[in-house]
Each structure stands twice: as C-alpha cells, then as structure tokens.
Amino acid sequence: MRTAAPEQITAMLVVFETVPWPAGKDVAGALADALGWTVRADLPNGVHYVTALETNDRRADVLIEPDGAGGGTIVALTVQVSDRVADAPADLDQAYRSVVATVEDRLGTPVRADSWTNPRTVWDLATGGRIAVQRLNAGVSLVLLSQRGADLEREEDRLGIDPNRVPGTGHEGL
C-alpha cells in the first residue's frame, strides 16, 4: 500500500502552517498552486483538486462556507495521503502510523490522539488551525482544520465531550 512520501507530507505541512485564519477561497487556490495541485471542480461550497501524490487516490477537497463577499471561507482541507483500499485493515494501520510519524517529526507531540474505530491524531498550529491525520475504512487523510473548527474541537475537549459520540443517535454521551 502506497502513502505519500514523507517529503511530500512535510511540504504540505510547511504550506499549511502559514495559513492565516480566517482564510478565503483565494487562499485555497494559493495553497494548491504552491503544492502543484490542479482544479477538478470549483463549486460555491468547495473546491476539489487533484494532487501530485503517487497514490491511487489523489483527491484533495476544500470545504468552503459561502459568505457572499469574497467567495467564502475555508472550513477544512482534506488530502488523501494513502492508496484507497478495501478490506486491508493491517495495511491501513501501518499507513496511518507512518503518516503520523512524519507529521510528528515536523510538528512534535500531538495534542490529541483518539484510538476509536477510525483513529485520529491531532496537532495545533501556531496560526490557530489544526492538523489531523485520520484513518478511515479505505484510506488515510491529512486534514487542515480552520481556526474556527479547531476552536470548536478545543471547546469540546474542555467540556469533556466524548469524541466517540454519534450525534442524533441517542448516544451523544455528554
């Protein structure tokens, strides 16, 4: 199973660490240009890119909150950093650990590590945003959260809200 090369992940982190919050849709375009990504679709609520990573899932998706003025504000940017595979949990676990180690080399000790069904490790950035590495059922993602999204997660942590809860199912577990 292929993952993005450590140098590629580090290059993304270097670019992500400089994002000023709040960041507009134009910043997403500048990030993509800096990383050599091409636009696949540009929509009011998001931009879909094709990355230069050597994996079978080369997607990067930017979620935009439309604001009517400058094209919207970035909520999150998600980059697929591993091959997309079905039924390969051991390979996905290894890919997740590898990406986490690369991010940890750059950003230091994580501020949070969830080991639930889909493990997730998180680092705070000096700009107020957050970086997360997420292992999903079919791949590993690197996520840049806006300061607003990161502040919401930090407040949930402060309040002791269980990150494993599934809102709307009766198992919110406050």
Side-chain angles (χ1 to χ4, degrees), residues 1-48:
M1 169 176 212
R2 294 172 299 177
T3 61
E7 304 80 37
Q8 293 173 311
I9 292 170
T10 300
M12 283 188 278
L13 295 172
V14 167
V15 172
F16 295 168
E17 287 177 282
T18 66
V19 174
W21 300 107
K25 194 174 188 180
D26 58 327
V27 172
L31 294 174
D33 288 345
L35 295 166
W37 300 349
T38 57
V39 175
R40 189 176 79 215
D42 188 347
L43 308 165
N45 63 346
V47 184
H48 305 287

Side-chain angles (χ1 to χ4, degrees), residues 40-64:
R40 189 176 79 215
D42 188 347
L43 308 165
N45 63 346
V47 184
H48 305 287
Y49 294 98
V50 177
T51 69
L53 304 178
E54 296 180 9
T55 63
N56 69 4
D57 189 353
R58 298 174 46 210
R59 292 175 296 145
D61 299 306
V62 181
L63 177 61
I64 301 289

Side-chain angles (χ1 to χ4, degrees), residues 71-84:
T73 304
I74 297 173
V75 175
L77 184 157
T78 303
V79 183
Q80 306 310 312
V81 292
S82 77
D83 280 346
R84 184 171 181 82

Side-chain angles (χ1 to χ4, degrees), residues 112 130 151-161:
R112 178 178 176 170
R130 270 190 167 177
D151 286 346
L152 178 61
E153 282 189 357
R154 286 188 276 269
E155 184 65 8
E156 289 177 348
D157 288 345
R158 188 186 72 72
L159 294 171
I161 296 174

